[in-house]
């Protein structure tokens, strides 16, 4: 059982406990959970507001987040001062991004804060609150860092994890938010420059956006956008890259599958088909990627459908002067 005392301590940080008006009430939240774990979660969440205890609390909460389960995200969101503390953790390392002076320890600490944001992004009760507060934008700078040092790559992956958690759901507000805040350029940057795991998560995000009507329209209404996306996807599956990926990544098939699904999603649009007729990599047409798909009938079907769409899709489409012009540049 959670006592009234604990509820009060959640609503008001120790430093201003005498204040008459708590800003957020944790009452609705704490009643959901049960047992000792939740009590320790509450104490740890309170500790986040104390700079002296924060690093330890971040580490423990992010390690135990599966144990705290469903109660953690609402607890983090509704407790007083917690989100501000997490944001401060993130913003405070911006100066170490360029030139890259971030230490592994500082990166770990920020990654733990990002893991808690991921938890908030995954929870149906906090996801839209998180979006409406524009917090994902604070993660974008970590996606576009110019060097691939381990601490920076680790941050990039943790940031992609937050966005990946948002797009895993079918909440209609998510894609709209991500497009409005221009997530595509940072994702493309990760696909071009990140390590294999970052490439995979970034491609997954783009795939989910393309699978949304609004996202597909966004990508295809403008020739520059379409070509930027298609060219980077194509680059990732050229045979040289495939071999490089296969040697270092545990599951190279994942990246290949996401790329196929991105192309497949794009091939629903006639303008995209016209571009794909020229740019679609040979490795997708000549059976070279089939070894990655032996156990995955669904993606094999996607590939077949993609090849079919590209074959028939560009024919008879409306003229697209913008795209023709871009194709001219491409074929030079
Ligand atoms: N402001 C640019 C645009 O809206 C953002 C952008 C750059 C972009 N490259 C892109 C968007 C590639 C989609 C795909 O076009």
């Amino acid at each position: 059982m959670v006592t009234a005392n604990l509820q009060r301590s959640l609503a008001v940080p120790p430093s201003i406990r005498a204040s008459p008006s708590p800003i957020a009430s944790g009452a609705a939240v704490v009643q959901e959970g049960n047992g000792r774990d939740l009590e320790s979660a509450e104490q740890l969440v309170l500790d986040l507001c104390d700079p002296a205890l924060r690093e330890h609390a971040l580490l423990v909460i992010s390690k135990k987040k599966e144990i705290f389960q469903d109660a953690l995200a609402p607890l983090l969101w509704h407790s007083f001062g917690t989100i501000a503390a997490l944001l401060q953790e993130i913003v405070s390392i911006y100066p170490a991004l360029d030139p890259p002076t971030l230490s592994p320890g500082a990166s770990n600490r920020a990654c733990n804060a990002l893991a808690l944001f991921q938890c908030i992004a995954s929870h149906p009760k906090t996801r839209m609150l998180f979006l409406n507060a524009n917090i994902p934008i604070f993660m974008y700078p970590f996606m576009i860092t110019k060097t691939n040092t381990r601490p920076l790559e680790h941050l990039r992956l943790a940031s992609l994890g937050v966005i990946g958690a948002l797009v895993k759901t079918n909440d209609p507000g998510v894609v709209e938010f991500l497009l409005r805040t221009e997530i595509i350029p940072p994702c493309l940057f990760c696909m071009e420059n990140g390590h294999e795991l970052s490439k995979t998560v970034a491609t997954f995000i783009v795939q989910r956006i393309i699978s949304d009507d609004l996202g597909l329209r966004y990508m295809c209404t403008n020739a520059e956008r379409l070509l930027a996306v298609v060219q980077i996807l194509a680059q990732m599956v050229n045979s040289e890259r495939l071999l490089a990926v296969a040697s270092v990544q545990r599951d190279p098939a994942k990246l290949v599958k996401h790329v196929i699904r991105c192309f497949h999603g794009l091939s629903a649009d006639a303008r995209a088909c016209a571009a794909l007729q020229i740019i679609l990599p040979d490795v997708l047409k000549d059976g070279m990627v089939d070894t990655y798909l032996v156990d995955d009938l669904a993606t094999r079907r996607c590939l077949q459908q993609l090849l079919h769409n590209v074959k028939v899709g560009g024919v008879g489409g409306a003229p697209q002067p913008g795209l023709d012009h871009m194709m001219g540049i491409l074929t030079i």
Side-chain angles (χ1 to χ4, degrees):
M1 275 305 290
V2 179
T3 63
N5 254 352
L6 264 170
Q7 292 181 12
R8 220 171 307 129
S9 68
L10 252 184
V12 191
S15 52
I16 55 161
R17 210 164 270 167
S19 160
S21 65
I23 292 181
S25 164
V29 175
V30 289
Q31 278 158 13
E32 280 176 16
N34 57 2
R36 289 177 158 201
D37 281 333
L38 192 56
E39 283 186 31
S40 65
E42 287 160 358
Q43 188 52 56
L44 286 163
V45 169
L46 285 174
D47 290 352
L48 288 173
C49 284
D50 184 337
L53 304 176
R54 189 179 297 161
E55 183 166 13
H56 178 255
L58 277 172
L59 182 68
V60 179
I61 302 174
S62 58
K63 262 194 189 158
K64 283 197 184 177
K65 59 183 192 304
E66 273 74 38
I67 302 173
F68 298 149
Q69 285 184 340
D70 255 14
L72 181 60
L75 194 56
L76 288 168
W77 188 265
H78 293 288
S79 51
F80 182 76
T82 309
I83 299 300
L86 293 176
L87 275 177
Q88 200 188 2
E89 279 299 302
I90 287 180
V91 174
S92 68
I93 61 163
Y94 283 171
L97 298 181
D98 189 16
T101 53
L102 194 68
S103 69
S107 166
N108 268 341
R109 188 172 159 155
C111 286
N112 289 335
L114 289 169
L116 301 193
F117 279 131
Q118 181 169 338
C119 176
I120 290 166
S122 304
H123 199 292
K125 284 197 182 144
T126 49
R127 187 179 309 123
M128 289 320 283
L129 297 166
F130 180 63
L131 284 187
N132 290 337
N134 288 319
I135 297 179
I137 295 170
F138 287 89
M139 273 126 245
Y140 296 0
F142 299 133
M143 295 168 64
I144 52 170
T145 47
K146 292 193 204 101
T147 46
N148 281 3
T149 61
R150 258 179 85 86
L152 290 186
E153 180 58 24
H154 196 178
L155 265 178
R156 181 181 290 160
L157 193 56
S159 304
L160 285 163
V162 180
I163 313 297
L166 287 174
V167 296
K168 257 188 193 164
T169 67
N170 288 322
D171 250 323
V174 169
V175 170
E176 190 274 324
F177 173 88
L178 294 176
L179 295 177
R180 182 163 41 82
T181 56
E182 304 226 309
I183 188 73
I184 299 294
C187 278
L188 295 181
F189 186 92
C190 294
M191 288 155 70
E192 255 190 315
N193 304 294
H195 288 174
E196 312 310 333
L197 219 43
S198 294
K199 281 187 200 303
T200 306
V201 183
T203 312
F204 169 71
I205 294 167
V206 170
Q207 176 203 323
R208 295 289 300 173
I209 290 174
I210 290 172
S211 73
D212 182 280
D213 282 349
L214 189 66
L216 181 62
R217 249 181 290 140
Y218 171 90
M219 300 284 199
C220 298
T221 44
N222 172 318
E224 283 84 0
R225 288 180 186 177
L226 187 54
L227 283 172
V229 176
V230 167
Q231 278 183 312
I232 290 172
L233 287 168
Q235 253 173 47
M236 288 198 299
V237 288
N238 75 41
S239 55
E240 232 178 61
R241 279 287 175 91
L242 269 186
L243 289 176
V245 169
S247 63
V248 293
Q249 201 195 9
R250 267 176 302 162
D251 188 4
K254 268 203 174 138
L255 178 57
V256 176
K257 287 173 188 177
H258 291 315
V259 172
I260 291 173
R261 283 169 187 269
C262 284
F263 279 136
H264 174 252
L266 288 170
S267 74
D269 182 278
R271 283 154 297 191
C273 277
L276 290 174
Q277 280 179 344
I278 296 173
I279 308 176
L280 197 69
D282 287 341
V283 286
L284 297 181
K285 298 183 216 157
D286 60 13
M288 279 268 288
V289 293
D290 292 0
T291 46
Y292 295 99
L293 308 177
V294 272
D295 59 343
D296 186 348
L297 181 62
T299 308
R300 279 211 306 276
R301 289 224 172 104
C302 268
L303 179 57
Q304 278 167 9
Q305 177 88 52
L306 159 67
L307 296 176
H308 174 78
N309 289 352
V310 170
K311 211 165 160 190
V312 301
V315 184
Q320 296 121 26
L323 198 59
D324 286 348
H325 169 69
M326 295 300 289
M327 289 303 166
I329 293 172
L330 257 185
T331 47
I332 287 168

